[in-house]
Each structure stands twice: as C-alpha cells, then as structure tokens.
Amino acid sequence: MEINDFTINSIKSEYKKGNLTPKELLDYVFKGIKLYDSKINSFITLTEEYAYKAIESLKLDEIDLKPLWGIPVAIKDNMCFRGFKTTCSSKILENFIPIYTATAVQRLIDAGAIIVGKTNLDEFAMGSSTENSAFFTTSNPWDLERVPGGSSGGSASAVAARFVPLATGSDTGGSIRQPASFCGVVGFKPTYGTVSRYGLVAFASSLDQIGPFGTKVKDVELAFSVMSGKDDMDSTSHPYQFTSVNRNIKEYKVGVIKELYEAEGFDIEVLNSLNNVIKILKSEGLKVDVCSLPHLKYSLPVYYLVATSEASSNLARFDGVRYGLRVEGKDIIETFSKTRGQGFGSEVKRRIMLGTYALSSGYYDAYYLKASKVRTLIVNDFEKAFREYDFLICPTSPTTAFKKGDKTSDPLSMYLSDIATIPVNLAGLPGISIPSGCDNKGLPIGLQIIGRPFNDSEVLNFADQLESIINFEARPQLGGI
Amino acid sequence: MIDKEIILHVAKLARLELKDNEVESLKEDLGKILNYFITLNDVNTDNVEPTFHPFPINNIFREDIIKESYPVEEILSNAPESTLTYFLVPRIVEEKNGN
C-alpha cells in the first residue's frame, strides 16, 4: 500500500474504491509513529487500543454521511478525551484522567474520526517552541535540531511528519499558526467563539480558540465545518453555521499590513516570500495595497498583560484539592503553595506572577486596564482596515524555525516570535497560516491570511485558491513511510 | 521597580511557593518585561472603553432545568484524597483548646 497524498479526500476515495481499509490505515499510522516518533516526539500518549476498537463501529455505508469517516486524528494534550490522560504537558496534571470529552473532540469522533493519540505542547499552551513541556521537547521534522514552534508543536509536527492527516491545536496568541508556519503545514485559528472551548483546559478565556492542522486547506476546512457551531456547554460559543464559499480569488481586495512588513526583526527571506505572494496576487489581477494599522505595534505588551491576567485567574483551579498533584503542607495555604510551586514549570510561574502583578491592587489601572483600552484601539484598527480590504496578509512569524535553546533564556525574544499572530487573537479574528515557500536552509515559511470576524469560509476559500497557485510541495525527509 | 519584596508579595497572592533562585530570576525577568511594556504609556487612551472580550456578550440565561450530573465517584476519581463523597483537605478551622 502506498499513500503519497495524505489528504482526507484521497484517503476517503481509496476507502470507497476498496483499495484501503481503516485498519490498514491505522497500521500505517502506528508503524510510522513507532519508526520515527522517537526522534520527533510528537506524542505524549498513544490511544492504539482505543483506535483499533473504534474502527470496528465504522460502517462503510455511512462513509458519505460522516465527513471524517476513518480519518486518524491527533489531539493536542490540553483537550479532554474521556478515559485518557490529559496532561497539558504539566507535572501538575501528569495523572489527570478526564471524565468527559471536549466538545470539539466529540464532534470529530461523531463525524467518524479516529483518535490515535495526544500530542505534546508547551505547558498549559504557554510558549512558542514546545520547549516548555514538562516531559520532553518536540523536534521539527524538517530539522531535528530545531523547534517545531509552539505551543501546538506536537500536533504541527505530527501532521508535518505525515503521522496523521489531521490534528487539533489551540491558539491563544498564535499557537496554531506559528507552529504550522515552522512545520510547513496549514493551521487555522477560527473566529473566536465559532468552536466551543468546553473541555479545553483554559489558558486565557477571551483569546483561546481551538482549530485544526492539515496538509491542505480543504482538510482544515472540513475539520472546522465539523467542529464549529453553538454548544450549550460553552456560553461564549457562537451560533455559527458553516457554509462553504466559492468565490473567485480575483474578486478579493487584499491589504498588506505595513507594521508586519516594514518592521525590524523579520528575516529577509520571510519578506521575500511575502513579496512573491504579493506578486502572484497582482498577476492574478487582485488589488493589493500596503495598509497601516498604527496600534499593532503595541500588541505584544497588550497581549502579555491580558493573557497572563486571565491565566493567573484560570490556573487558580490547580490547588491540589480536586484533581492533579498534591504536595502536603502544614496547613491548607501551604498545601496550595507547595503544590503549585512544585507542579508548575518556570514559564507558567512567570506568567502567573506577571498576571497576578498586573491585576493586583495598585497596579490594575496601570497595567490590565490600560492594556484592555489599547486592545480596543487594535480592534478598531482592524475594523477600519476591513472596511477597505477583504483580507490582510503578513508573514505568520518573523523567522523560520529557530534552533532549540536559542531563545529559552530570554522570555522577551521568545514572545517576539508571535508578534504577527497575537493581534488576531486580541480582535478575535479568523487567521490561517499556509506554507508560502522555503528559506535557503530548506525550512518552510508561512503566510498568514486574516479575515473579518465570522468570515471564516471566505478566508478558507481564499487560502485554498492561493494554496493551489503557490503549489508548495516540499515535505520533510523524516516521518511517514 | 520590581524588588524581592514585591516578588514575594505577589507569590503569596498567587499561592506559589518559590525557591530563592526563582525569586531572583523572576525579579530580573518581570523587571525586564514590565519595563518593555512601559511603551503602552505612549498611547493616549482618554475616552477609550476597555475591551475585555472580543465580541459583546451579555448575561446568558437558560431555563432552570435539572439535568443529570456526573456521578460523584467519577468526580472524585481524580482527587488526590477523598472520603465517602468528599474531597479531603488539611484542616482549615482550628480545634478548640488549641489542638
């Protein structure tokens, strides 16, 4: 059996022709993981036994009714899956076994998807390199010396290595798009609220969003169509109904974000790749202009104040009482403090401290409130730009994948790698990263496309057509079979 | 400025026990980060309403219908310590006579 084009459509078409069975595909998936994952470390947990059992209930006559019939999926390990460990790559949840399943995961299962494992991440999704996992660091399949990006680095690398055709991630400040960019795959962060966050371990509730990874835009679109929609278990979920759009790319107007084009710190090759995309769009007859969003330059401080404040509140639930690690102290307060002191890793502690400080009496107005006001100005900048343009484009990340250890000692330089993705979360917009080329080291470069809120279908339609024109076919040497 | 005293105070608020070397590195990191964040003071935010959420959400009500909940034993299955139908924690209220 040979699987060259590891896409959902091609897998389903092989199933229908009788050339492939879900069991054969699972054999292929687990064989690939066993051969290569010791080098890449995408997975924390494999759900092999479950997966083989789950395919038994697939009925071939339902293949056209279930969009993800027999499609193996990897789940980021901050999403609950009943009966299987959900660690968030943290010691504090090392042995936590949820008694329920996240809505997004359940919807994938209901659509016929087969969960094959849980993937590594930066602890509690806090990081941009997957080096903050309490267990191990994931490697980039394109170059094992380099990081896969973060925090959904396990999911991005699992798709890049062709272990699985589809994976889920969560994106608070770029945690789907940035690793997709580093790993040369497609990563989609939908509009805030379109996918329920029930069962996602919360990091920053006004920013968190679940989304899919795939090798092609059509695959993430299919996964999104399944996962999205109102959920009674998440009061912030939106009654969004997915309908696919089929509008010619030539009809769209595109703005290039000046602040993420002319700014310092962007690699010349990353900018050249963007220039190439602009040239392509213009030759297709699209109107492309440079447009300015003047408050975008404040996104980083705004994000880190808002996200850490929300995190300090959300992570208060980890106190060693109802679940997770407990380290006994002489009284309840000391038990809380010891549990949290020993259970959380250094980046999580740094963020809890920053957030607690920003919310504490005397500093609230100067930090959290100020940041929330500047957030309004950033949202307004986007609204203004979208009056003129259908989409905004920019590089997904200022650089290609960096080497392990390069940024671990300097939190600020690590934070800067999310500079182009963070503004999108502050405004709750849909954003997708697609591969736009490679640098001279052969590492993939990502292009980010940002759309109006709830215009997810248009973003996917545009990205799909642009993907065909760019025709990125490179893939890492390592992985798959 | 962020000094040791502030770090220890915030750590106490956050219920986070820190080792001496962690206090030192947090003092340095938070100092640097907050210093960089001072750029926000350049922005005029007079008469600007804060954004706490990407889209306006109001109170969300639902009918007060009793639904089945998770079984107690399942809820307790992840507890570090439990008894009967309770989570067990160290004593919070002191006993009389100072015991």
Side-chain angles (χ1 to χ4, degrees):
Chain A
M1 182 189 68
E2 204 169 294
I3 302 171
N4 289 322
D5 176 11
F6 207 25
T7 62
I8 296 172
N9 269 340
S10 65
I11 291 169
K12 284 189 76 176
S13 126
E14 293 302 302
Y15 280 157
K16 283 189 199 173
K17 282 190 240 159
N19 295 339
L20 182 71
T21 66
K23 178 172 180 304
E24 284 169 335
L25 185 57
L26 278 189
D27 291 345
Y28 171 90
V29 164
F30 287 114
K31 193 172 162 195
I33 293 169
K34 275 166 196 162
L35 275 171
Y36 301 110
D37 200 39
S38 57
K39 292 195 173 78
I40 299 172
N41 285 320
S42 298
F43 288 91
I44 293 178
T45 306
L46 288 179
T47 54
E48 203 170 350
E49 205 179 315
Y50 161 87
Y52 279 105
K53 211 166 157 35
I55 54 169
E56 286 173 15
S57 58
L58 292 172
K59 296 181 190 74
L60 195 58
D61 58 0
E62 287 180 349
I63 191 163
D64 289 323
L65 301 172
K66 296 192 167 186
L68 299 175
W69 194 96
I71 302 298
V73 181
I75 304 291
K76 185 177 182 179
D77 205 18
N78 61 350
M79 292 169 210
C80 291
F81 180 30
R82 184 184 161 92
F84 295 93
K85 276 200 280 190
T86 296
T87 69
C88 286
S89 289
S90 180
K91 279 188 196 164
I92 212 161
L93 283 180
E94 195 167 2
N95 297 310
F96 173 66
I97 298 175
I99 59 167
Y100 57 94
T101 297
T103 301
V105 176
Q106 189 58 52
R107 287 182 179 177
L108 293 172
I109 294 169
D110 294 344
I114 307 296
I115 313 296
V116 298
K118 306 288 295 287
T119 56
N120 198 23
L121 63 147
D122 284 299
E123 185 177 2
F124 285 104
M126 295 179 186
S128 311
S129 65
T130 315
E131 289 166 292
N132 293 332
S133 166
F135 306 135
F136 44 78
T137 296
T138 298
S139 300
N140 191 316
W142 294 78
D143 177 350
L144 299 178
E145 301 291 305
R146 291 174 190 272
V147 302
S151 65
S152 313
S155 286
S157 62
V159 172
R162 285 7 183 217
F163 291 148
V164 282
L166 198 66
T168 66
S170 66
D171 190 315
T172 306
S175 280
I176 292 174
R177 291 157 289 156
Q178 187 255 25
S181 170
F182 281 15
C183 289
V185 296
V186 179
F188 178 48
K189 184 211 95 78
T191 300
Y192 179 87
T194 51
V195 178
S196 165
R197 291 180 291 110
Y198 176 71
L200 170 72
V201 179
F203 161 12
S205 305
S206 83
L207 305 162
D208 293 343
Q209 189 54 219
I210 291 175
F213 288 97
T215 55
K216 294 286 176 205
V217 174
K218 277 287 170 216
D219 287 2
V220 302
E221 179 178 284
L222 197 56
F224 173 64
S225 72
V226 165
M227 289 193 288
S228 56
K230 180 74 184 166
D231 174 22
D232 287 342
M233 301 301 272
D234 173 5
S235 62
T236 61
S237 75
H238 189 270
Y240 176 84
Q241 278 193 316
F242 177 85
T243 41
S244 69
V245 169
N246 200 355
R247 198 170 143 194
N248 193 301
I249 190 169
K250 295 180 200 311
E251 295 174 27
Y252 292 118
K253 269 168 79 178
V254 176
V256 181
I257 302 175
K258 183 169 172 253
E259 286 73 16
L260 299 171
Y261 181 54
E262 293 176 355
E264 281 175 43
F266 282 73
D267 275 0
I268 187 76
E269 289 188 84
V270 169
L271 293 176
N272 284 344
S273 177
L274 178 63
N275 282 328
N276 186 44
V277 170
I278 295 169
K279 217 191 302 173
I280 290 173
L281 291 172
K282 282 185 173 166
S283 72
E284 290 287 317
L286 275 82
K287 188 172 146 43
V288 186
D289 294 321
V290 174
C291 70
S292 175
L293 288 81
H295 296 94
L296 234 52
K297 58 174 180 267
Y298 301 108
S299 298
L300 209 64
V302 170
Y303 172 80
Y304 277 96
L305 288 168
V306 169
T308 58
S309 293
E310 293 185 16
S312 75
S313 167
N314 273 326
L315 269 56
R317 69 191 60 162
F318 301 103
D319 53 13
V321 173
R322 286 147 299 154
Y323 37 73
L325 177 79
R326 176 189 285 186
V327 182
E328 296 287 347
K330 66 175 177 352
D331 55 26
I332 188 78
I333 301 289
E334 201 183 277
T335 300
F336 290 164
S337 302
K338 278 187 185 297
T339 298
R340 291 162 62 79
Q342 292 180 35
F344 290 134
S346 57
E347 180 61 24
V348 174
K349 285 185 204 171
R350 189 151 44 221
R351 296 199 193 194
I352 290 174
M353 289 289 287
L354 192 56
T356 307
Y357 178 80
L359 289 178
S360 65
S361 160
Y363 300 104
Y364 174 89
D365 284 3
Y367 289 105
Y368 180 70
L369 191 63
K370 180 78 183 181
S372 299
K373 286 182 176 177
V374 181
R375 184 178 182 182
T376 306
L377 299 174
I378 293 166
V379 173
N380 292 349
D381 276 0
F382 275 114
E383 275 175 13
K384 206 170 144 203
F386 282 126
R387 272 180 232 146
E388 195 162 343
Y389 302 100
D390 295 296
F391 306 110
L392 300 173
I393 59 169
C394 60
T396 308
S397 184
T399 67
T400 53
F402 46 86
K403 285 199 168 161
K404 289 177 192 167
D406 264 8
K407 296 179 192 242
T408 39
S409 59
D410 182 1
L412 262 178
S413 83
M414 185 74 90
Y415 295 173
L416 278 164
S417 71
D418 292 335
I419 193 146
T421 49
I422 273 171
V424 177
N425 298 74
L426 290 171
L429 308 171
I432 192 167
S433 180
I434 63 169
S436 65
C438 285
D439 68 5
N440 61 13
K441 296 183 204 80
L443 298 167
I445 298 168
L447 172 83
Q448 182 177 218
I449 303 157
I450 305 162
R452 299 185 184 105
F454 305 104
N455 253 8
D456 301 58
S457 306
E458 297 263 9
V459 170
L460 290 161
N461 174 44
F462 178 79
D464 174 50
Q465 292 180 59
L466 184 55
E467 175 186 71
S468 304
I469 301 167
I470 293 173
N471 194 25
F472 179 85
E473 281 188 334
R475 54 177 282 187
Q477 289 193 331
L478 197 69
I481 300 173
Chain B
M1 248 348 274
I2 301 287
D3 55 24
K4 192 178 168 185
E5 210 175 303
I6 292 181
I7 293 290
L8 291 174
H9 173 65
V10 174
K12 194 179 158 197
L13 292 176
R15 304 278 188 259
L16 209 51
E17 188 180 82
L18 299 174
K19 295 188 202 85
D20 289 347
N21 62 335
E22 288 180 316
V23 173
E24 280 308 307
S25 67
L26 279 167
K27 197 176 79 180
E28 201 180 307
D29 288 347
L30 259 52
K32 257 196 245 168
I33 294 167
L34 290 167
N35 202 29
Y36 173 76
F37 288 4
I38 277 174
T39 51
L40 287 186
N41 292 336
D42 299 344
V43 192
N44 181 354
T45 50
D46 294 348
N47 304 317
V48 175
E49 288 295 318
T51 297
F52 297 121
H53 209 265
F55 306 114
I57 45 168
N58 302 311
N59 282 337
I60 291 158
F61 297 103
R62 60 163 173 78
E63 292 303 311
D64 188 17
I65 301 166
I66 296 171
K67 287 187 196 164
E68 206 172 325
S69 185
Y70 292 106
V72 175
E73 58 272 24
E74 283 198 30
I75 297 280
L76 289 172
S77 64
N78 276 293
E81 230 184 317
S82 62
T83 179
L84 303 170
T85 56
Y86 305 104
F87 294 105
L88 264 185
V89 293
R91 176 178 291 278
I92 294 168
V93 184
E94 283 176 19
E95 274 184 67
K96 265 188 180 173
N97 308 323
N99 286 323

